[in-house]
Amino acid sequence: MDINVRVKTGKSINKVIKKDFAQYEVWVKAPPFKGLANKELIKILADYFNTKPSNLRIVKGLTSPVKILRYSK
């Protein structure tokens, strides 16, 4: 399943907001520096979907705030 995500970095809390079936807004504490925000994004969504971080990967938008992640079990 592909998931569309808009990431907002540098927030005071980590938070997942479901916008639609496969559209989410994710607040991340980490800054967008050297992949820190992407790593934290994967951890946050893995907790949200109750899965291992290795089941999620960014397939588009590695350096963009708008990303597509692939979720596979």
Side-chain angles (χ1 to χ4, degrees):
M1 170 171 72
D2 285 352
I3 305 164
N4 297 313
V5 177
R6 175 171 288 281
V7 181
K8 298 201 174 184
T9 59
K11 295 293 186 175
S12 60
I13 60 169
N14 292 329
K15 182 177 179 179
V16 177
I17 302 166
K18 186 172 183 175
K19 297 287 188 176
D20 200 351
F21 170 70
Q23 296 217 349
Y24 296 84
E25 181 175 301
V26 181
W27 293 8
V28 177
K29 288 182 185 179
F33 180 72
K34 292 190 177 182
L36 293 175
N38 286 339
K39 288 178 186 175
E40 194 165 336
L41 169 68
I42 296 290
K43 289 178 187 175
I44 293 166
L45 287 176
D47 286 343
Y48 183 82
F49 289 115
N50 196 27
T51 190
K52 295 184 284 186
S54 61
N55 291 338
L56 291 165
R57 68 182 175 97
I58 300 170
V59 293
K60 188 172 183 183
L62 196 60
T63 60
S64 170
V66 179
K67 302 178 185 302
I68 297 176
L69 282 86
R70 185 149 298 142
Y71 172 53
S72 59
K73 288 188 178 182

